[in-house]
Amino acid sequence: MISLPHSGFLAEASPRLRQMLAAQASEVRLARGEVLFEQGDTGDALYAVIDGAMEVSILSFDGRKLSLDLLAPGAVFGEIALFDPGTRTATVTATEPARLLRVLSADVLRELHAHPELAIDMIRLAGQRMRWMGRQLKEQVFLPVPTRVARKLLHLAPRQGAQTGAVRLSQAELAEYVGATREAVSKTLAVWKRQGIVDVTRGHVSIRDFPTLETLADPDQF
């Protein structure tokens, strides 16, 4: 049986639910830059990242791209399709060669019909994801750019090298992730670099002072 990650959407799944999902999983491999699915596509599966990294992004009405997250091994995504067989709410692209596990919605629903007690677990997990999405929306709408940049760097750094605190993103890419202009992000990073909080090189941001950055992230907000 394929092993699913103990993180993300599945972090608090019961052993029985994990066993059911693992029994339905199949493997998917993607090359760097390959799109797994696009915003607006029909949703029919949940995915877990085993190796590589996946970018989650959306397009605004005026065509502007906003990167929402960078998914590392252990992350689970696409779970909305298990509850609502509608269209995908975001585009997911491999930023490096990736290996995923896929669980088809139809297979999960068949198992839930046979074992309805597992549906309670699924509903609880869906509620947790909805709360996470609500927090993300509040951050984008209400928090200032420096706070959003600090939170995103802290979110990404442990996944991309906890020993060095290095985040492999350009300033333009980081701006997409926090929903700000490149100029605003560059200005913020320049100030932090002078203060010794981060180092900035081409395509990388390295965190030098985690405690100060955690304070700048204002963890008590929301």
Side-chain angles (χ1 to χ4, degrees):
M1 183 181 297
I2 296 175
S3 177
L4 292 171
H6 290 268
S7 57
F9 177 71
L10 299 177
E12 298 184 31
S14 68
R16 284 196 64 191
L17 179 60
R18 289 181 54 83
Q19 182 179 21
M20 182 271 285
L21 292 174
Q24 309 300 324
S26 60
E27 187 174 298
V28 176
R29 293 179 180 268
L30 298 173
R32 180 179 181 180
E34 188 173 354
V35 176
L36 177 64
F37 55 75
E38 294 186 344
Q39 182 178 346
D41 286 352
T42 300
D44 63 353
L46 166 142
Y47 296 87
V49 183
I50 305 304
D51 295 307
M54 306 295 294
E55 178 195 54
V56 182
S57 65
I58 61 173
L59 288 178
S60 64
F61 288 113
D62 61 2
R64 184 169 60 91
K65 176 184 172 183
L66 174 63
S67 296
L68 301 179
D69 207 351
L70 189 65
L71 306 175
V76 177
F77 63 95
E79 69 281 352
I80 292 176
L82 298 183
F83 308 100
D84 179 13
T87 58
R88 293 292 189 186
T89 58
T91 296
V92 177
T93 307
T95 59
E96 57 186 74
R99 183 165 63 95
L100 314 174
L101 294 181
R102 176 176 59 196
V103 180
L104 294 177
S105 304
D107 293 337
V108 173
L109 291 176
R110 184 174 59 251
E111 290 297 316
L112 292 181
H113 281 298
H115 306 283
E117 68 278 7
L118 294 177
I120 297 175
D121 274 346
M122 294 294 293
I123 293 172
R124 177 171 53 83
L125 295 179
Q128 293 173 3
R129 177 61 79 177
M130 291 175 66
R131 283 193 292 272
W132 178 86
M133 294 173 66
R135 288 195 299 271
Q136 295 297 306
L137 177 60
K138 288 180 181 178
E139 287 187 10
Q140 292 288 346
V141 173
F142 296 112
L143 295 183
V145 170
T147 303
R148 301 199 318 254
V149 172
R151 290 190 176 195
K152 187 58 66 174
L153 288 175
L154 291 169
H155 173 67
L156 295 176
R159 301 182 178 202
Q160 297 191 358
Q163 300 302 316
T164 63
V167 176
R168 299 190 300 274
L169 287 176
S170 69
Q171 294 181 43
E173 290 170 329
L174 183 57
E176 290 179 353
Y177 277 104
V178 299
T181 64
R182 184 189 184 283
E183 290 74 18
V185 170
S186 297
K187 181 179 179 180
T188 297
L189 293 177
V191 172
W192 291 351
K193 183 176 181 179
R194 290 195 297 270
Q195 295 172 342
I197 300 170
V198 300
D199 275 332
V200 182
T201 57
R202 186 177 180 85
H204 287 78
V205 178
S206 298
I207 301 172
R208 296 178 58 190
D209 187 346
F210 272 94
T212 298
L213 194 63
E214 287 167 352
T215 299
L216 292 168
D218 199 0
D220 292 332
Q221 284 264 28
F222 306 135

